[in-house]
Amino acid sequence: MKEAGLKLLSFPPDSPPLSIISAAKIAGIDLPIQTSSSASSPTLSFSNGLKLHGNYVILRYIGRLAPIPNFYGDNAFHAAQIDEWLEYTPTISCGSEFENACGYMEVYLEKRTFFVSHYFSIADIAIWSGLAGTGQRWESIRKSNKYPNLVRWYNSISAEYSNPLMEVTALYVGKKGLGKPVAAKSKEVKNVTGDSSDKAKAGSRSSSEIDLPDAEMGKVRLRFAPEPSGFLHIGHAKAALLNQYFAQRYHGEVILRFDDTNPTKESNEFVENLIKDVETLGIKYQKITYTSDYFSKLMALAEKLIKEGKAYVDDTPREQMQKERMDGIESKCRSNSVEENLKLWKEMIAGSERGLQCCLRGKLDMQDPNKSLRDPVYYRCNPVPHHRIGSKYKIYPTYDFACPFVDAEEGITHALRSSEYHDRNAQYHRIQEDMGMRKVHIYEFSRLNMVYTLLSKRKLLWFVQNGKVDGWDDPRFPTVQGIVRRGLKIEALIQFILEQGASKNLNLMEWDKLWTLNKKIIDPVCPRHTAVIEERRLLLTLTNGPDKPFVRIIPRHKKYDGAGEKATTYTKRIWLDYADAECISVDEEVTLMDWGNAIVKEIIKDQDGNITQLVGVLHLEGSVKTTKLKLTWLAETNELVNLSLVEFDYLITKKKLEEGEDFLDALNPCTKKEIAAIGDSNMHNLKQGEILQLERKGYYRCDVPFTRPSKPVVLFAIPDGRQQSVMK
């Protein structure tokens, strides 16, 4: 019944039904939405005139409609249990009852993965939405970990359904809870809101909720326009996600456009990978376009401007031209006749020797204090074949000339640009005016800068071409593919960027904050495994240990059933890390994790004082609460897996390069370290991209899974926001 009747969900502007919207998103149900100041509760209207009223009435309907197994129970009893939880959910939003409700659910979830039976249902959505809807109050509790079972459940739901839930909270949940304009939790988000003078026509929303000037609900069209000269990096990701955020806010659309005006730097490989990166970010674009689609129109427009005396051909050498622009000196070619300009323009089009000496410039104002208006270049010659259209053209428009035209031509209502382009905004609108095109609103946001990080594609290309990294997806790179390969979950990146909002304040952001967000997402759900460092590993012989090895099946994550199970082998002789052995004293009682206590009776050393082996006895009746050392270990078997644990460091040694400072002077000489280790036999089954925690060692992402015993499984260390690198 996806389209067979569903027409519109309407609700009061200050009371969005988070659970209904979330359930529909997760279920893939297309649910048109409209706020209505006259509505007292959510109403679901059908094309035949029928209506359903009330939050949980509609949620139950979505539960029955959704193509998700057991979404509203697999039998009458479970459906009734779900109803019980739906009736309980309003308690969460009652101020005085909030803590009591959290405490009750904490106990209830102690041995449960979901609220009803063994599957995800609308009961989970209702309670998740109730907690998320309290805003900062719940976030404070999450950080305190006062209710670990409840937080574990909440985080697992957030991780499993990250894209739809992040999308909904971004639109409807603010610091103070439901109904606020933005999801961001940082004070900077206040800067997202447009000045009160920017009266937007957005249905029944109040003006305080409007971010874009003169935005009309359902009529906003945005574009994300990367140049296909590299892979998408974290700075581009901010622009892409903000475009999507505003498109969702105003029920508009985003176009993915490739600004392919420089064939020297661009390639189909970059186009393909940019599309992949945009889709990885979850950007829902309406269509893909290329600036090269408009080359013929742009050439015709350039010729029209020449004939109108608004553009001229200039053969001044580039360095001299730059100096004249800085000094406000008019070019000798500025007074050329239209006929002379058209003659030289044809030479440029032909790519002749004479044409290659020339460029086309706009005739704006050489005395303007804003230097971007001092006759900018519109067209340059370039004989290099274009990656899409081959050698059809010998001239190509500059970004400054093409972008204002294509934005207006494609019906873009708001062009999002980083504040580094601020001085060129006047140029953008002046060129549109000279072209006779519709004016497009410009909305500025601050560029995302990260410590110890280069975002210039030219500088990143240097690392690739000089073999300093393994490619554009290298885990040391700030590209989307690079940071994902290192172990970052996209939902953490989305949350990180949305928390900054569309602030115009320039900030140098710490990676630690991003990795801390990432840890909160992966920790509740990623499986636990064990590894021992290869170098100097040694055996602990348990004299009363099992004569025959035995195996137990235990959870891969003690608090998340969804992580599955693993087989742990128990033997008389077990491997320990040398670093752990150094901390043990004779007759000390230690805890062997996932087994029990043992008492170390003998520490055997060689003539140089190095420990060579340990001897002890199992003391399983001992209390783990009384031991100082909790040790990870591996059974001595031939089923262990060879591992290569890889640590990475920043590519440069300075937090921020000052203007004019050469990045080559700040190169980090050691950015990668590999450590050989052995891992438990279950790691034979790790899949590429799987994230895990090595107990007491940290989080890792499997980059190369098991293929044969002679080739190690390669695990990339994932920063957790506080852990010091082993490379320091």
Side-chain angles (χ1 to χ4, degrees), residues 128-149:
W128 189 96
S129 300
L131 292 170
T134 64
Q136 193 61 42
R137 188 170 190 183
W138 168 244
E139 285 305 313
S140 299
I141 284 178
R142 274 180 84 187
K143 290 172 185 172
S144 70
N145 210 20
K146 185 176 179 181
Y147 303 107
N149 294 320

Side-chain angles (χ1 to χ4, degrees), residues 88 91-92 94-105 137 141 146-147:
Y88 183 79
T91 311
I92 297 170
C94 295
S96 60
E97 291 297 316
F98 180 73
E99 288 278 351
N100 291 337
C102 288
Y104 175 70
M105 292 186 290
R137 188 170 190 183
I141 284 178
K146 185 176 179 181
Y147 303 107

Side-chain angles (χ1 to χ4, degrees), residues 279-296:
E279 291 176 350
T280 297
L281 289 172
I283 305 300
K284 297 178 177 64
Y285 51 86
Q286 190 251 340
K287 62 179 177 178
I288 294 176
T289 65
Y290 298 81
T291 298
S292 54
D293 294 338
Y294 303 93
F295 278 177
S296 60

Side-chain angles (χ1 to χ4, degrees), residues 350-370:
S352 67
E353 185 178 346
R354 177 71 177 117
L356 291 172
Q357 298 170 351
C358 303
C359 68
L360 181 70
R361 296 176 67 181
K363 190 181 286 188
L364 304 186
D365 186 350
M366 284 298 293
Q367 307 307 316
D368 198 293
N370 182 341

